[in-house]
Amino acid sequence: MRYERCRILFGEKDFEKLQKANILILGVGGVGSYALDCLYRSGVNHITILDFDIYDETNQNRQIGSEAVGRAKVERLKELYPGVKTIHQRMDIAWVESFDFDPYDIIIDAADTTRVKIEIAKKCYPKLIMALGSAKRYDTNSIEVASIWKTHGDALARKIRNELKKAKFNRNFTVVFSPEEDKCKEKGSCVAVTGAVGLTVCSEAIKRILSTKA
């Protein structure tokens, strides 16, 4: 059976929680596509992915589905993961303000734009799991999970913390980050880290789902 080993691991009642969970993934690149793969293979039936980008050759070192150069990411991933719902939409401040996040149990933020990530945090923090910087690194052992306020050594996390403080926002939400020192100046990347961040995000989502009351 397809999910037999998941059922053995989680137990029938908890596996049913996974099947019923409704998850939104914002951004399905080097991090988000691996979070999608993990959740899908773990038995989550209700996954929505949102992205506006199309694949290009530079994506092929780290993104699932990126052999389909020139195609929309969500379009190709819908073929690879039947049943996944897709939204081909650019993420900007206006979209964050107008989008209804209420139907979702968990929001996974794997987006690239800092301002958008900040606004998502303000609006969705109780449901949020945010992926932070994964470029310029190759050591998966450095990946950590923490509150945004407990992050360290990550420039993107520092910028988000500072902007939230300016906005007098002091609520808590979970992030996956790496304090590993940058290994290059440009935006080099390695799937060992981007994929591992996505899988860690998936693990955090699963733990959160299983911790809820039936």
Side-chain angles (χ1 to χ4, degrees), residues 148-163:
I148 182 62
W149 308 111
K150 300 294 184 180
T151 53
H152 58 97
D154 184 311
L156 177 56
R158 182 169 60 253
K159 184 172 184 180
I160 289 174
R161 288 198 315 269
N162 290 339
E163 291 300 317

Side-chain angles (χ1 to χ4, degrees), residues 147-189:
S147 158
I148 182 62
W149 308 111
K150 300 294 184 180
T151 53
H152 58 97
D154 184 311
L156 177 56
R158 182 169 60 253
K159 184 172 184 180
I160 289 174
R161 288 198 315 269
N162 290 339
E163 291 300 317
L164 290 175
K165 288 177 182 176
K166 289 178 185 178
K168 301 187 184 306
F169 177 94
N170 62 0
R171 301 303 180 94
N172 189 46
F173 57 91
T174 298
V175 300
V176 179
F177 73 103
S178 171
E180 181 185 358
E181 183 179 350
D182 289 354
K183 302 303 183 185
C184 58
K185 292 184 179 180
E186 302 301 324
K187 214 167 190 181
S189 59

Side-chain angles (χ1 to χ4, degrees), residues 13 16 187 199:
K13 288 184 178 180
E16 287 180 6
K187 214 167 190 181
L199 296 176

Side-chain angles (χ1 to χ4, degrees), residues 2 19 26 33 41 43 51 56 60 68 78-79 82 93 96-98 103 122 124 131-132 144 149 159 176 210:
R2 177 177 177 181
Q19 291 192 300
L26 304 175
S33 62
R41 294 182 189 281
D51 202 306
D56 62 48
Q60 292 184 324
K78 187 173 185 178
E79 294 174 351
I93 303 301
V96 176
E97 291 175 348
S98 63
K122 290 177 183 177
C124 305
L132 294 175
E144 298 183 32
W149 308 111
K159 184 172 184 180
V176 179
L210 298 188

Side-chain angles (χ1 to χ4, degrees), residues 46-185:
H46 308 289
I47 305 172
T48 301
I49 58 174
L50 187 150
D51 202 306
F52 191 68
D53 290 346
I54 63 172
Y55 290 115
D56 62 48
E57 288 184 348
T58 65
N59 301 143
Q60 292 184 324
N61 77 316
R62 68 195 185 282
Q63 297 186 18
I64 294 175
S66 55
E67 288 70 29
V69 172
R71 294 187 63 189
K73 294 178 183 179
V74 294
E75 178 185 281
R76 177 56 179 149
L77 290 172
K78 187 173 185 178
E79 294 174 351
L80 294 176
Y81 302 94
V84 167
K85 296 178 182 178
T86 62
I87 304 174
H88 191 218
Q89 167 71 48
R90 189 184 303 279
M91 285 178 277
D92 54 24
I93 303 301
W95 169 79
V96 176
E97 291 175 348
S98 63
F99 188 77
D100 182 12
F101 293 93
D102 287 344
Y104 304 99
D105 301 307
I106 293 177
I107 314 297
I108 292 173
D109 172 20
D112 294 327
T113 307
T114 304
R115 288 186 63 216
V116 169
K117 295 177 84 71
I118 291 167
E119 294 307 311
I120 289 169
K122 290 177 183 177
K123 190 169 182 180
C124 305
Y125 67 90
K127 301 179 177 182
L128 183 61
I129 301 172
M130 179 184 288
L132 294 175
S134 58
K136 307 179 185 180
R137 300 163 169 86
Y138 52 74
D139 180 12
T140 59
N141 290 325
S142 296
I143 296 170
E144 298 183 32
V145 179
S147 158
I148 182 62
W149 308 111
K150 300 294 184 180
T151 53
H152 58 97
D154 184 311
L156 177 56
R158 182 169 60 253
K159 184 172 184 180
I160 289 174
R161 288 198 315 269
N162 290 339
E163 291 300 317
L164 290 175
K165 288 177 182 176
K166 289 178 185 178
K168 301 187 184 306
F169 177 94
N170 62 0
R171 301 303 180 94
N172 189 46
F173 57 91
T174 298
V175 300
V176 179
F177 73 103
S178 171
E180 181 185 358
E181 183 179 350
D182 289 354
K183 302 303 183 185
C184 58
K185 292 184 179 180

